Amino acid sequence: MRTQVGIVGAGPAGLLLSHLLHLRGVESVIVENRSRDYIEQRVRAGVLEQGTVDLLVESGAGERLKREALVRDGIELRFGGRRHVLNLKELSGGRAYTIYAQQEIVKDLIGVRLAAGGQMHFEATDVGVHGLDTTAPRIRFRTDGGQVELQCDFIAGCDGFHGISRPSIPAGALTVFERVYPFGWLGILVDAATPEQETVYAWHERGFGFFNRRSPTLTRHFLQVAPDEDIANWPDERIWRELRVRLATDDGWQPVEGPVLSRNITEMRSFVVEPMRYGRLYLAGDAAHIVPPTGAKGLNLAVADVRVLAPALAGYYASGRTDLLDAYSDTCLKRVWRVEHFSWWMTSMLHRFPDDDVFQRRLQRSQLDYIVSSRAAATTLAENYVGLPWTTAAA
Ligand code: RFL
């Protein structure tokens, strides 16, 4: 089997890359180790930057998103019993953010790929990448039909943080930058709509709390918990009780309760590898970098990577140029580090750290007070949250 670009992983990065390459006349094959059903149900991100939405719509993958997504102008910072709404759209000169679940993007992208005759192998096992430093890299995997060797010109490693692409690069060829946070997030998806329009971020002595409306009928809540917390210790009643305490307002806010449709605990990590390339393997999305979800950036960054990679690969096929491919890693890393900083900053400001003393808590409160009282400080948060403009034109 042969293709131009072999893609490992059918998450947002791999699927969107395949779609953008197709629009530019470049052929690709996706190899995914989970079932289609599994990846179409996996609950993860929900907050999309303006640029992510624009790219999905312009590329023809945003029809349902345009109809169903919730466009939001502001967020609320909640602390000291008070609500502080920041109008991000006004602060950022007209850019908004959009709520549309990651699994819906995955469904939409699989739909457009299948409609265009795209090749995707789900439930592949023993996936491996080989010959990365040659001009003939290969993806080997096993399907129901037996062992397959996919010969490629290039491989895109879009297989997330736990995938096989990054670990296939020889030790010493990559530099790793990492920070693991001493807490996790317990997330629930609830079958009930909250009246609040804004995404709410709460600072509280007992730890961080969050919720936003995911759709006209669903709400997503997060609570900071210990990193090794056992989810069995969190029956519904305890979750609701904790949300009531951490998100309490002087005017008597109460969560809108409903059946809990899913629950999980996520670790919190910042992680970057440099460079995002080895030979003919290009890493994109969570395979190359992770941010704690406080800034709502991981999926957006995955989209930003493939927005650079697709035209770089297409430029190679159109005219043999390699300068865009050579610049890929440096181009992406500029945005990656901006987003790493923003995500670390939001996380540090809003969470309770085990070794925090009273001094540290006062500093956090001062920072929050400053954001909700200074237009300059609020603008910094706003323009990062809705997403800084792309700095490179898509060639
Ligand atoms: P993904 O989505 O992990 O997709 C990787 C795909 O590769 C497959 N795979 C393999 N395939 C073949 N062979 C192997 N050996 C393989 N190993 C893995 C996997 O099955 C999967 O299908 O990576 P990608 O495409 O880079 O996308 C990244 C995003 O998924 C991630 O950054 C976001 O979910 C992060 N995130 C958020 N990002 C946002 O932009 N906005 C948000 O509001 C937001 N909220 C969140 C989040 C992540 C969270 N968790 C669960 C980590 C909230 C949470 C709680």
Side-chain angles (χ1 to χ4, degrees):
M1 215 196 269
R2 229 207 95 70
T3 191
Q4 290 178 311
V5 181
I7 300 176
V8 188
L15 288 164
L16 182 59
L17 177 64
S18 179
H19 175 54
L20 296 177
L21 288 174
H22 167 72
L23 296 179
R24 290 176 156 83
V26 178
E27 180 191 289
S28 65
V29 172
I30 300 181
V31 180
E32 162 66 47
N33 67 352
R34 299 287 193 160
S35 69
R36 179 177 170 189
D37 193 48
Y38 179 88
I39 63 171
E40 288 188 343
Q41 305 301 329
R42 187 166 44 195
V43 177
R44 293 176 84 181
V47 174
L48 307 181
E49 294 179 358
Q50 179 80 57
T52 299
V53 170
D54 293 347
L55 181 61
L56 288 168
V57 170
E58 282 159 19
S59 72
E63 282 312 307
R64 196 160 65 92
L65 182 155
K66 272 197 292 188
R67 285 197 309 274
E68 297 180 10
L70 307 174
V71 181
R72 292 287 179 254
D73 294 352
I75 63 167
E76 179 189 318
L77 293 177
R78 189 175 286 189
F79 54 95
R82 308 251 328 259
R83 308 159 191 255
H84 306 268
V85 173
L86 300 181
N87 187 326
L88 306 185
K89 188 172 182 185
E90 195 246 323
L91 288 161
S92 67
R95 292 161 76 81
Y97 70 96
T98 295
I99 298 181
Y100 190 66
Q102 176 164 336
Q103 69 271 25
E104 304 306 325
I105 295 180
V106 166
K107 280 182 207 155
D108 295 347
L109 287 169
I110 290 176
V112 291
R113 286 312 293 129
L114 288 177
Q119 272 198 65
M120 287 174 270
H121 297 273
F122 296 105
E123 297 180 74
T125 55
D126 300 331
V127 181
V129 291
H130 306 274
L132 303 177
D133 53 359
T134 72
T135 53
R138 298 166 308 278
I139 305 176
R140 288 203 198 112
F141 58 99
R142 202 171 273 287
T143 65
D144 284 351
Q147 179 75 32
V148 178
E149 179 164 289
L150 177 63
Q151 298 182 349
C152 317
D153 297 330
F154 300 95
I155 296 177
C158 301
D159 47 350
F161 185 65
H162 299 288
I164 49 89
S165 297
R166 193 184 62 252
S168 305
I169 297 173
L174 295 179
T175 306
V176 174
F177 303 85
E178 186 168 28
R179 183 156 297 188
V180 179
Y181 298 87
F183 39 76
W185 272 16
L186 184 152
I188 55 170
L189 185 67
V190 175
D191 191 2
T194 168
E196 280 84 353
Q197 298 296 311
E198 291 82 16
T199 295
V200 178
Y201 288 82
W203 177 95
H204 192 272
E205 286 293 333
R206 292 175 64 84
F208 174 71
F210 169 106
F211 69 93
N212 68 10
R213 192 197 283 201
R214 267 298 164 94
S215 77
T217 57
L218 297 173
T219 305
R220 188 87 159 120
H221 299 263
F222 289 113
L223 284 171
Q224 173 184 350
V225 293
D228 54 354
E229 185 64 74
D230 182 352
I231 199 141
N233 293 335
W234 287 84
D236 291 6
E237 189 34 49
R238 182 173 177 203
I239 295 175
W240 293 119
R241 195 168 58 236
E242 199 61 29
L243 285 167
R244 265 180 239 121
V245 172
R246 295 194 197 176
L247 288 141
T249 57
D250 294 343
D251 56 6
W253 177 86
Q254 293 287 322
V256 180
E257 298 189 24
V260 175
L261 303 177
S262 78
R263 73 183 73 217
N264 63 348
I265 292 183
T266 307
E267 63 173 6
M268 305 278 282
R269 183 192 296 270
S270 299
F271 177 94
V272 182
V273 289
E274 294 186 6
M276 290 167 54
R277 168 196 185 173
Y278 175 76
R280 290 213 164 193
L281 171 68
Y282 292 81
L283 299 175
D286 279 12
H289 39 69
I290 292 282
V291 286
T294 329
K297 288 291 170 219
L299 186 155
N300 292 297
L301 210 45
V303 167
D305 289 348
V306 301
R307 183 188 162 279
V308 177
L309 186 53
L313 288 164
Y316 172 85
Y317 287 107
S319 61
R321 66 188 288 193
T322 55
D323 57 326
L324 296 174
L325 285 169
D326 292 341
Y328 168 72
S329 178
D330 286 348
T331 305
C332 290
L333 283 166
K334 284 198 187 79
R335 190 176 187 91
V336 167
W337 278 110
R338 172 87 300 277
V339 166
E340 288 287 343
H341 177 269
F342 178 67
S343 303
W344 163 85
W345 178 71
M346 288 280 283
T347 303
S348 307
M349 176 170 72
L350 288 163
H351 289 76
R352 170 133 217 171
F353 287 68
D355 55 358
D356 273 2
D357 54 11
V358 186
F359 186 86
Q360 190 61 29
R361 302 296 285 168
R362 288 282 195 279
L363 292 180
Q364 286 182 323
R365 273 299 293 268
S366 169
Q367 177 75 59
L368 286 162
D369 283 333
Y370 182 46
I371 290 171
V372 300
S373 60
S374 152
R375 189 174 173 90
T379 302
T380 294
L381 190 154
E383 64 182 14
N384 280 277
Y385 197 90
V386 298
L388 290 163
W390 309 119
T391 48
T392 52

